[in-house]
């Protein structure tokens, strides 16, 4: 049994998982600026050199943490884009997105903070936002051509404004200890999106 536990402890995939979990736990309690490798590794019981087997620095660690969450958000967006009941599909996407931020808001805010001080992280951050803007613009254009969205909506800039507004609002709301009730956030975003695109609540 002792040998089995020792092997599991030093398995690279298991070590990586432990470091990622420890880092997200740390970021749920502290600001990104306070993140340090020694504290993260202390939470795992692994030695500091094990960190550099998997990550270059704390910014690289943050990028890796955000990868899975970004995929989850893209999956939510894809379900909205593929939907046929435009307002209901949009509301469902907002509910699911808010739930992601409720669970991972502090980490996603750390990602934004990391982007402000690291060009590589900033490129990834802005690239992710642009992917959402592009997808939203394509959907808005298609809905507009189908007569479901107002003709006077300027597609590209409206998509940009809505995506940036939503990301900043969710990051500010759920990236701190004090939080607004998720149901209120969902209603606020729903009103903004639907009134902007469809002209009704």
């Amino acid at each position: 049994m002792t040998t089995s536990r020792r092997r599991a402890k030093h398995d690279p995939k298991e070590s990586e998982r432990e470091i990622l979990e420890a880092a997200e736990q740390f970021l749920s309690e502290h600001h990104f600026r306070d993140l340090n490798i020694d504290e993260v590794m202390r939470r795992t019981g692994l030695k500091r050199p094990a960190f550099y087997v998997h990550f270059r620095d704390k910014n690289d660690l943050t990028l890796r943490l955000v990868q899975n969450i970004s995929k989850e958000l893209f999956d939510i967006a894809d379900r909205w884009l593929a939907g046929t009941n435009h307002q209901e599909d949009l509301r469902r996407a907002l509910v699911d997105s808010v739930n992601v931020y409720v669970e991972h808001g502090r980490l996603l805010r750390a990602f934004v903070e990391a982007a402000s001080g690291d060009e590589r992280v900033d490129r990834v951050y802005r690239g992710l936002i642009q992917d959402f803007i592009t997808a939203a613009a394509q959907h808005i254009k298609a809905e507009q051509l189908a007569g479901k969205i107002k003709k006077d909506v300027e597609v590209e800039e409206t998509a940009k404004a809505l995506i940036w507004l939503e990301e900043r609002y969710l990051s500010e709301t759920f990236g701190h200890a004090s939080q607004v009730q998720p149901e209120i956030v969902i209603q606020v975003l729903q009103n903004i999106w639907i009134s902007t695109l469809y002209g009704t609540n």
Side-chain angles (χ1 to χ4, degrees):
M1 293 296 292
T2 303
T3 302
S4 177
R5 282 197 299 270
R6 185 177 297 119
R7 285 177 180 172
K9 190 69 172 178
H10 293 286
D11 176 75
K13 290 183 179 180
E14 179 66 14
S15 297
E16 180 182 35
R17 183 191 63 77
E18 288 184 35
I19 295 169
L20 289 169
E21 287 182 355
E24 180 160 12
Q25 182 186 47
F26 180 90
L27 289 170
S28 72
E29 303 165 359
H30 305 277
H31 287 287
F32 173 78
R33 64 176 176 266
D34 300 321
L35 179 66
N36 68 82
I37 295 168
D38 287 335
E39 176 59 28
V40 170
M41 298 311 290
R42 190 156 40 244
R43 293 174 180 235
T44 67
L46 298 167
K47 301 296 185 183
R48 184 184 173 95
F51 177 90
Y52 296 101
V53 172
H54 305 286
F55 312 101
R56 284 188 285 181
D57 51 31
K58 70 176 188 178
N59 290 325
D60 187 42
L61 171 63
T62 306
L63 283 174
R64 296 282 292 281
L65 279 167
V66 170
Q67 281 180 344
N68 289 337
I69 302 173
S70 298
K71 183 181 183 305
E72 188 174 355
L73 289 169
F74 274 118
D75 288 344
I76 291 168
D78 284 342
R79 291 195 293 273
W80 169 55
L81 297 174
T84 56
N85 188 347
H86 47 284
Q87 293 192 33
E88 182 56 35
D89 291 329
L90 174 58
R91 186 181 190 285
R92 190 176 301 112
L94 292 172
V95 170
D96 292 342
S97 296
V98 167
N99 287 338
V100 171
Y101 271 84
V102 169
E103 183 175 359
H104 301 290
R106 296 294 291 267
L107 170 57
L108 290 165
R109 180 164 180 80
F111 180 44
V112 176
E113 292 173 351
S116 69
D118 185 280
E119 185 177 342
R120 177 169 53 98
V121 180
D122 187 59
R123 282 198 306 270
V124 173
Y125 169 58
R126 292 186 176 277
L128 288 172
I129 295 296
Q130 186 56 52
D131 286 344
F132 282 108
I133 292 171
T134 300
Q138 290 173 348
H139 188 67
I140 291 169
K141 184 64 175 178
E143 293 273 273
Q144 197 176 54
L145 291 172
K148 298 176 181 177
I149 286 179
K150 296 181 294 185
K151 292 182 179 179
D152 63 350
V153 169
E154 205 294 321
V155 174
E156 296 294 334
E157 290 303 309
T158 300
K160 184 188 296 184
L162 288 170
I163 293 298
W164 275 111
L165 180 151
E166 180 177 327
E167 191 280 333
R168 291 285 73 221
Y169 177 50
L170 290 177
S171 181
E172 286 298 313
T173 302
F174 298 111
H176 300 280
S178 65
Q179 297 182 355
V180 181
Q181 289 298 313
E183 294 79 10
I184 295 175
V185 174
I186 291 164
Q187 188 62 50
V188 167
L189 289 173
Q190 182 180 2
N191 288 342
I192 291 170
W193 276 84
I194 290 179
S195 62
T196 300
L197 298 180
Y198 304 103
T200 58
N201 290 321

